[in-house]
């Protein structure tokens, strides 16, 4: 079941106001205007707490508030008196733990604000029958609602890929799309998918096969994210974006075949002693910005409420060095943006969202505070900020903010300011440093609003 979550303000200036959520959300509650729910009481901190919604589940975490967060009258988080919000998060003991909430619970933000939680259950989802067999090896599965792959096969990703390719030879469903490929080696495993290097039998051409990991296959929201990634990536066609060739479903597993690259930007930085030269970093960044300029205005089709609509542009929302891939030829690099798994057409923003618990929405080190405080409505400027943060990382080996070990990354991203780049690498030309520092501005708005503008500024500073 999924259902609906209703938050009703019971005490405070917003008393009587209700907020209803039917999908996954990450809500920052606090006094500042960029919070998802703004509560003006003086007992409420600037960024007071995070409510993580994935109906019917609701979780809450205190953000080191001055006056404390209370669940049914019991304090669940508060920073010590005399300690600033920034200082509180340096000590892991002061970090707020996550607490589950249920219908009827009351959440207190200080003494002058209280919110009641209501969980309205959705319809019961049809359960998978017990005693099914593993799709890969055929062993009996006795538990209900488990992925259709046994634990032994889940631990052997090669067995799953070989099974899919075997189904391909039998022309079973969409798996027939894979009949022309043979597996070579595993390339990696991420939050939702495994990636394998495969070879085209006829030509020997190498491609990447991405499949949804078994742990996620029984999770409908994750399956929808994976399918959306494939649908978006399949429509994008630009030299600086990883190309997708095929997409389909085999049993309960989804897959797509995409362009394979020589390596990632992270690998290049690591192999270059921790940071890149200004010339190389700038060359890569200008290519990344070309990819963003295209993606932010590309004509696409997107699905909303079961209907297909034509829209212009898509926001990546998880741009970082790990999602920038490279091909090398004659000492020259071609940069390609990959993994649009968190992307969504910004023209239909509000249709769906992601949470920070479990399926983390993006990476705080490369996310502006606007994206964290209101992830659901992120627009192209968040990608521009992330591109500037990746540029900063290429030149320094660090993200723009101080993410020290033991500190809460979400709180840092919300409350800290970027460190001027020349404080970390004094060899960055002053004119270029000013461009990067401006692009990483977050108050009151992101400093550079479009990829085209940032590209022009970088070229002007060379």
């Amino acid at each position: 079941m999924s259902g609906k979550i209703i938050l009703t303000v019971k005490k405070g200036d917003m008393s009587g106001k209700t907020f209803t959520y039917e999908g996954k959300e990450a809500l920052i509650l606090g006094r500042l205007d960029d919070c998802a729910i703004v509560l003006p009481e003086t007992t409420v901190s600037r960024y007071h707490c995070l409510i993580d919604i994935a109906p019917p589940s609701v979780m809450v975490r205190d953000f080191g508030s001055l006056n404390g967060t209370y669940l049914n009258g019991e304090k669940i988080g508060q920073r010590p008196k005399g300690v600033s919000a920034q200082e509180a998060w340096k000590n892991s003991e002061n970090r707020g733990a996550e607490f589950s909430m249920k219908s009827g619970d009351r959440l207190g933000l200080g003494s002058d604000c209280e919110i009641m939680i209501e969980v309205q259950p959705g319809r019961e989802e049809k359960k998978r029958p017990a005693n099914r067999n593993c799709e890969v090896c055929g062993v009996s599965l006795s538990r209900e609602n488990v992925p259709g792959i046994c634990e032994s096969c889940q631990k052997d990703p090669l067995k799953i890929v070989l099974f899919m390719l075997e189904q391909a030879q039998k022309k079973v469903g969409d798996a027939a799309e894979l009949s022309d490929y043979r597996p070579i080696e595993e390339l990696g495993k991420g939050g939702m998918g495994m990636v394998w290097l495969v070879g085209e039998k006829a030509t020997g051409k190498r491609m990447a096969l991405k499949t949804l990991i078994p742990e996620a296959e029984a999770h409908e929201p994750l399956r929808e994210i994976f399918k959306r990634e494939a649908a978006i990536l399949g429509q994008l066609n630009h030299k600086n974006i990883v190309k997708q060739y095929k997409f389909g479903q085999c049993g309960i597993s989804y897959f797509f075949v995409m362009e394979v690259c020589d390596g990632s930007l992270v690998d290049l930085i690591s192999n270059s002693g921790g940071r890149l030269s200004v010339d190389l970093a700038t060359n890569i960044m200008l290519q990344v910005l070309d990819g963003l300029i295209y993606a932010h205005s590309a004509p696409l089709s997107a699905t909303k409420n079961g209907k297909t609509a034509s829209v212009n542009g898509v926001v990546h929302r998880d741009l970082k060095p790990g999602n920038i891939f490279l091909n090398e030829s004659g000492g020259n690099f071609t940069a390609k943006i990959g993994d649009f798994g968190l992307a969504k057409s910004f023209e239909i923003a509000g249709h769906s969202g992601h949470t920070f618990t479990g399926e983390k929405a993006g990476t705080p080190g490369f996310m502006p505070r606007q994206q964290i405080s209101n992830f659901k409505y992120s627009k192209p400027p968040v990608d521009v900020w992330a591109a500037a943060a990746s540029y900063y990382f290429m030149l320094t080996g660090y993200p723009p903010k101080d993410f020290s070990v033991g500190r809460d990354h979400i709180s840092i991203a919300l409350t800290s300011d970027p460190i001027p780049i020349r404080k970390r690498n004094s060899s960055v030309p002053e004119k270029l440093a000013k461009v990067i520092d401006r692009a990483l501005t977050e108050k009151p708005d992101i400093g550079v609003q479009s990829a085209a503008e940032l590209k022009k500024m970088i070229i002007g500073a060379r």
Side-chain angles (χ1 to χ4, degrees):
M1 63 170 58
S2 54
K4 186 183 297 186
I5 306 297
I6 301 174
L7 308 180
T8 303
V9 181
K10 291 294 187 179
K11 182 179 181 182
D13 291 347
M14 300 281 287
S15 183
K17 181 73 174 178
T18 62
F19 303 86
T20 302
Y21 305 94
E22 298 185 33
K24 296 168 68 63
E25 301 284 352
L27 308 174
I28 306 295
L29 276 60
R31 207 171 61 245
L32 293 187
D33 290 341
D34 61 351
C35 291
I37 298 180
V38 180
L39 301 162
E41 283 72 34
T42 56
T43 60
V44 176
S45 294
R46 294 176 301 164
Y47 298 111
H48 197 103
C49 64
L50 166 71
I51 293 184
D52 200 352
I53 293 175
S57 171
V58 190
M59 305 288 290
V60 62
R61 177 157 67 100
D62 180 76
F63 263 168
S65 61
L66 177 62
N67 294 299
T69 299
Y70 298 81
L71 182 57
N72 297 323
E74 182 178 348
K75 184 165 65 179
I76 60 172
Q78 183 180 19
R79 71 176 185 263
K81 291 183 177 180
V83 176
S84 69
Q86 289 86 349
E87 292 173 335
W89 291 98
K90 292 181 180 179
N91 185 344
S92 60
E93 295 180 357
N94 294 325
R95 282 201 236 152
E98 289 184 332
F99 293 84
S100 177
M101 294 188 289
K102 62 184 184 301
S103 194
D105 281 351
R106 290 178 176 261
L107 184 68
L109 281 69
S111 59
D112 296 339
C113 181
E114 187 176 73
I115 296 174
M116 188 180 77
I117 315 301
E118 180 183 355
V119 180
Q120 293 185 357
R123 61 180 177 81
E124 289 285 340
E125 294 181 358
K126 184 178 179 180
K127 293 186 177 182
R128 294 175 178 169
N131 299 313
R132 294 178 303 111
N133 295 327
C134 171
E135 290 191 356
V136 177
C137 68
V139 68
S140 176
L141 300 174
S142 59
R143 292 182 298 162
E144 293 185 343
N145 292 328
V146 298
I149 301 176
C150 69
E151 292 183 7
S152 175
C153 290
Q154 287 185 34
K155 296 176 181 178
D156 189 351
L158 176 58
K159 187 182 292 187
I160 297 171
V161 173
L162 291 175
F163 167 75
M164 295 180 70
L165 295 177
E166 178 183 320
Q167 296 295 96
Q169 298 305 316
K170 297 177 181 178
K171 308 294 184 182
V172 176
D174 292 342
E177 297 284 343
L178 301 178
S179 60
D180 297 330
Y181 302 98
R182 61 180 179 83
I184 298 176
E185 63 177 316
E186 182 181 354
L187 294 178
K189 180 177 179 180
M192 293 184 294
M194 296 181 297
V195 183
W196 277 82
L197 180 66
V198 297
E200 196 170 46
K201 293 177 181 177
T203 65
K205 182 178 180 180
R206 296 188 171 196
M207 298 183 187
L209 168 65
K210 185 171 184 178
T211 63
L212 185 64
I213 60 174
E215 295 93 322
E217 286 166 347
H219 195 321
E220 179 63 28
L222 286 184
R223 293 202 306 272
E224 291 304 312
I225 293 171
F226 186 85
K227 287 191 291 184
R228 187 178 69 206
E229 176 182 357
I232 291 173
L233 191 56
Q235 297 178 68
L236 298 177
N237 187 17
H238 190 273
K239 66 178 181 178
N240 297 123
I241 294 177
V242 174
K243 177 63 179 174
Q244 175 190 307
Y245 297 104
K246 296 180 179 181
F247 166 69
Q249 183 177 1
C250 176
I252 62 171
S253 299
Y254 293 96
F255 67 86
F256 62 82
V257 179
M258 59 187 181
E259 174 183 10
V260 66
C261 297
D262 296 335
S264 74
L265 178 57
V266 171
D267 296 331
L268 179 62
I269 294 171
S270 177
N271 294 333
S272 300
R275 65 190 190 192
L276 306 182
S277 68
V278 172
D279 286 344
L280 180 54
T282 301
N283 178 268
I284 291 172
M285 181 47 50
L286 292 177
Q287 294 183 64
V288 169
L289 292 172
D290 281 342
L292 287 181
I293 291 169
Y294 165 80
H296 289 166
S297 59
L300 304 169
S301 295
T303 301
K304 182 180 181 181
N305 299 327
K307 297 181 180 180
T308 301
S310 296
V311 296
N312 292 318
V314 64
V315 185
H316 190 286
R317 301 201 301 186
D318 193 22
L319 185 65
K320 57 187 177 183
N323 283 336
I324 298 172
F325 299 90
L326 301 171
N327 284 333
E328 183 180 6
S329 177
N332 297 317
F333 291 96
T334 299
K336 294 177 178 286
I337 303 171
D339 194 358
F340 274 78
L342 296 176
K344 182 182 65 176
S345 168
F346 57 84
E347 286 196 358
I348 56 170
H351 176 47
S352 63
H354 300 73
T355 62
F356 287 99
T357 298
E359 300 81 49
K360 183 173 62 176
T363 306
F366 298 92
M367 296 169 66
R369 57 167 51 92
Q370 288 88 341
Q371 184 173 353
I372 294 177
S373 63
N374 203 352
F375 179 83
K376 186 176 179 179
Y377 298 98
S378 297
K379 301 294 192 294
V382 304
D383 283 350
V384 180
W385 195 95
S390 298
Y391 194 15
Y392 186 109
F393 188 86
M394 283 189 265
L395 293 168
T396 68
Y398 295 93
K401 299 181 181 181
D402 181 15
F403 289 88
S404 301
V405 176
R407 300 182 65 195
D408 182 85
H409 288 188
I410 296 177
S411 178
I412 293 168
L414 282 170
T415 61
S416 299
D417 295 322
I419 298 170
I421 191 168
R422 282 175 59 87
K423 286 190 175 182
R424 282 189 162 148
N425 183 356
S426 60
S427 68
V428 176
E430 189 171 349
K431 193 173 180 181
L432 181 60
K434 288 181 179 179
V435 170
I436 296 172
D437 290 340
R438 176 181 168 183
L440 291 171
T441 300
E442 300 166 283
K443 300 175 182 177
D445 296 312
I446 292 173
V448 180
Q449 291 286 297
S450 74
E453 181 185 2
L454 180 56
K455 178 183 177 181
K456 181 178 179 181
M457 292 170 66
I458 291 173
I459 291 174
R462 296 178 78 174

